[in-house]
Amino acid sequence: MFKRSFVSIYFLSNKLLILQLSSSKKKVIKQATVDLPEGVIEGAKVIDREALSQILKSVWAKFHIRERAVGIILPEFSTFTKFFKLPKLAISELAEAVSWQAQEFLPSSQAETIIDWKIVDKTAEGYEILIVAVNKDVLSQYVRACEEAGLFPLVVETPSICLVRLSKKDTSSGNLIVYKNFDEALLVVSQRERIVGTSVIKNANSDQIIKTSSQMLTHFKDVAVTTLSLGGTQINEELVQKLSNQLKLQGSTIRPKVGGIEEGKLQEYLIPLSMQFAEPAEPSDPNSLNLLPFALVEKYRNERLRLQVWGLTLTITLFTWISFLITLAAYLFMVQNINSLKSESKVNAETAEKREETVTNIKTINKTSEKILSIKKISVLPQKILNTIQQSKPQGITISGYNLDLDRGEISLTGISVDRASLIDFKQKLEINKDYTNVTVPISSFEQEVNLEFRLSFLYKPLVPPEPTKKKGK
């Protein structure tokens, strides 16, 4: 559903960090740090949404940022992260199990919360799940501020997820991440993609960071942390030495390999830079994390469908007008040739050749005119076909692509079905439509039990050309 190119926006209480990579993900092409006035964001909550929206508009204008799709990184303090295990279940039952498990430790009711989760590991006993949650009203203010600035949020993440992405280790041992920027320290205990625990320290000094790090290692001793990853502009040699000596860990600096940015700036933009390496996916994807509200996902899906319909309609309109202009030009050319022939007093070989060419042009014009009239008679707006498909689509079916051959009436769809029953139900609902025939789903589309990638095709009878009648012999 989502396009891959977007701009990262990291919201802090007093700053905005904005960054965009090139399409190859190897070079920084846009970067900006913007100071926020007091009273715009307080306590990780948006207080003045209108002011924040105006600031975003001015940043896009000042730095000439063309890309409107954005990824939002919320302040870590506004989110809640939890890692837990579930027994082996069918994928279709996993979402409900996660929902029940989340009720035990979420700070507020699920009605007031936006949550998303991903499978971080599969074992013989079951699944290891990472869940992230944020208050619905808090998230809404950030999303709406972006929308009111003319931007389109595609993905919502947390700073801890971004840091783990950059410092993920291949070993099964744990990793302590210490990130300090703008007098705020974020500590994360991770294990591969697992976020075991996080801590945010405002106005942090070296002693506070060391004390909190030691407490976290003691609390999460089952993780067996063996490595230390450091990042941020305020990580100095003294702090690195103290952490290494007191925690008995070998430290290394997080350094992504990208161009177009200085080392100091690289450390400042680590978190929004990390988001650029993400592949935006819908919140329903069990292999990704995205706190984007479902209502916004549906809004973008409908908008994309509207653009597809508009594009198909425009194509047909252009084809009709081009054909008409070709016919008009040929007609004018023919009239000019006829007048020229009439003015000649003698019919010679050249005149005969021109007359023959004119006759040929007339035949061509007639054929083209017949085609235009036939297209006009049988043309059907693609929107009509797409609307009936959407009406027939049951819950659990996601359509990712359309292919409409309006000359032969051949329609094909591709997408994902949550299970076989949903796909069969979709096929049967299409067969009920009297305008559809030969509804076909390849057997290969039923190979999986869940999340079936399917291809479905059928004929739209009003557009199917009639078979030529055979002449009887005398």
Side-chain angles (χ1 to χ4, degrees):
M1 166 191 162
F2 292 134
K3 58 184 285 189
R4 295 187 178 183
S5 177
F6 63 96
V7 179
S8 301
I9 308 177
Y10 180 20
F11 291 93
L12 295 108
S13 59
N14 59 351
K15 292 182 185 294
L16 293 179
L17 297 183
I18 298 168
L19 184 135
Q20 183 185 12
L21 288 180
S22 61
S23 58
S24 64
K25 305 296 182 184
K26 294 181 179 180
K27 183 179 179 181
V28 175
I29 58 175
K30 295 290 182 181
Q31 64 183 64
T33 299
V34 181
D35 292 324
L36 293 178
E38 290 186 9
V40 176
I41 298 178
E42 293 181 2
K45 296 181 179 179
V46 176
I47 304 301
D48 191 339
R49 191 180 73 240
E50 183 177 353
L52 182 58
S53 173
Q54 290 300 321
I55 291 170
L56 288 170
K57 282 184 180 179
S58 65
V59 170
W60 251 248
K62 179 180 178 180
F63 293 94
H64 307 289
I65 304 175
R66 295 182 179 180
E67 180 59 71
R68 293 285 171 176
V70 297
I72 297 174
I73 305 171
L74 301 173
E76 185 73 26
F77 194 73
S78 68
T79 63
F80 183 83
T81 305
K82 182 71 174 178
F83 166 72
F84 57 86
K85 298 181 180 180
L86 287 176
K88 205 160 191 178
L89 301 168
I91 294 293
S92 57
E93 300 174 352
L94 205 53
E96 185 177 357
V98 170
S99 179
W100 279 103
Q101 188 77 14
Q103 292 179 11
E104 298 181 6
F105 51 78
L106 282 177
S108 55
S109 68
Q110 291 196 37
E112 302 172 348
T113 308
I114 297 291
I115 66 172
D116 194 29
W117 54 274
K118 70 177 289 188
I119 300 170
V120 295
D121 199 8
K122 297 178 183 179
T123 65
E125 292 77 23
Y127 299 97
E128 296 184 351
I129 305 294
L130 179 64
I131 186 171
V132 183
V134 63
N135 181 273
K136 188 179 295 184
D137 293 335
V138 171
L139 175 60
S140 172
Q141 294 301 305
Y142 287 100
V143 171
R144 289 177 63 188
C146 290
E147 286 193 298
E148 289 168 6
L151 307 178
F152 304 96
L154 296 183
V155 60
V156 180
E157 286 190 344
T158 67
S160 57
I161 292 173
C162 294
L163 289 174
V164 169
R165 181 183 293 118
L166 288 181
S167 59
K168 184 174 63 177
K169 308 293 183 181
D170 294 331
T171 62
S172 59
S173 59
N175 182 37
L176 173 64
I177 304 170
V178 179
Y179 175 81
K180 188 181 180 187
N181 218 16
F182 306 118
D183 293 324
E184 179 179 285
L186 172 59
L187 310 181
V188 182
V189 174
S190 66
Q191 189 179 31
R192 291 184 179 172
E193 294 185 75
R194 306 173 182 90
I195 297 177
V196 182
T198 63
S199 180
V200 179
I201 309 174
K202 299 286 187 179
N203 301 315
N205 57 41
S206 299
D207 293 336
Q208 290 174 313
I209 292 174
I210 293 170
K211 180 181 178 181
T212 305
S213 298
S214 180
Q215 291 173 343
M216 292 179 72
L217 294 182
T218 301
H219 185 74
F220 300 110
K221 58 184 178 181
D222 294 341
V223 180
V225 173
T226 60
T227 56
L228 173 64
S229 299
L230 303 132
T233 57
Q234 295 176 321
I235 296 293
N236 52 45
E237 291 296 331
E238 180 185 359
L239 177 58
V240 173
Q241 193 65 38
K242 285 184 178 180
L243 283 168
S244 298
N245 292 340
Q246 297 198 31
L247 302 180
K248 308 299 181 185
L249 299 174
Q250 185 63 40
S252 62
T253 304
I254 303 172
R255 284 193 178 91
K257 294 182 179 180
V258 293
I261 189 170
E262 303 170 359
E263 171 62 23
K265 288 292 183 180
L266 177 66
Q267 292 300 318
E268 179 179 335
Y269 288 96
L270 275 182
I271 288 175
L273 174 64
S274 172
M275 178 181 255
Q276 288 289 292
F277 296 117
E279 294 292 342
E282 292 188 16
S284 57
D285 189 339
N287 297 307
S288 68
L289 282 172
N290 187 354
L291 287 169
L292 191 70
F294 280 100
L296 211 55
V297 175
E298 190 64 27
K299 175 183 175 181
Y300 291 153
R301 184 184 290 116
N302 292 336
E303 181 67 16
R304 186 180 68 167
L305 179 60
R306 186 187 68 80
L307 289 174
Q308 288 176 335
V309 172
W310 180 83
L312 288 169
T313 305
L314 179 62
T315 301
I316 292 174
T317 304
L318 287 174
F319 174 78
T320 303
W321 273 102
I322 290 171
S323 299
F324 171 74
L325 291 174
I326 291 172
T327 303
L328 180 61
Y331 173 76
L332 294 174
F333 176 76
M334 177 196 69
V335 170
Q336 184 180 4
N337 282 343
I338 291 175
N339 291 335
S340 177
L341 289 172
K342 287 180 177 179
S343 66
E344 294 181 359
S345 58
K346 295 182 180 180
V347 178
N348 50 28
E350 184 179 352
T351 304
E353 183 179 349
K354 287 185 177 181
R355 184 183 292 114
E356 187 175 335
E357 182 180 349
T358 302
V359 172
T360 302
N361 287 335
I362 292 172
K363 291 180 179 179
T364 303
I365 291 169
N366 290 336
K367 288 181 179 180
T368 305
S369 300
E370 289 174 1
K371 287 182 179 179
I372 292 173
L373 292 174
S374 63
I375 289 173
K376 185 177 179 182
K377 288 180 180 179
I378 66 171
S379 63
V380 176
L381 285 178
Q383 186 174 3
K384 178 181 178 181
I385 300 174
L386 296 177
N387 284 341
T388 57
I389 293 173
Q390 285 294 318
Q391 292 169 2
S392 303
K393 181 172 72 66
Q395 188 174 7
I397 293 292
T398 301
I399 298 175
S400 60
Y402 297 89
N403 185 13
L404 285 72
D405 188 341
L406 300 179
D407 290 331
R408 297 184 291 180
E410 295 177 358
I411 315 296
S412 64
L413 316 171
T414 57
I416 296 177
S417 172
V418 295
D419 52 30
R420 293 172 178 167
S422 298
L423 183 54
I424 294 172
D425 185 25
F426 185 28
K427 179 177 181 295
Q428 292 174 345
K429 286 183 177 179
L430 288 173
E431 290 173 335
I432 294 174
N433 194 316
K434 64 181 181 180
D435 288 334
Y436 297 159
T437 184
N438 294 348
V439 182
T440 306
V441 181
I443 296 176
S444 59
S445 297
F446 293 93
E447 290 179 351
Q448 294 179 271
E449 293 185 4
V450 295
N451 295 329
L452 293 79
E453 295 185 2
F454 69 87
R455 182 177 182 84
L456 182 148
S457 61
F458 58 89
L459 295 178
Y460 185 70
K461 288 193 287 187
L463 295 180
V464 176
E467 293 184 0
T469 56
K470 296 182 179 179
K471 295 182 179 180
K472 295 182 179 179
K474 292 183 179 182

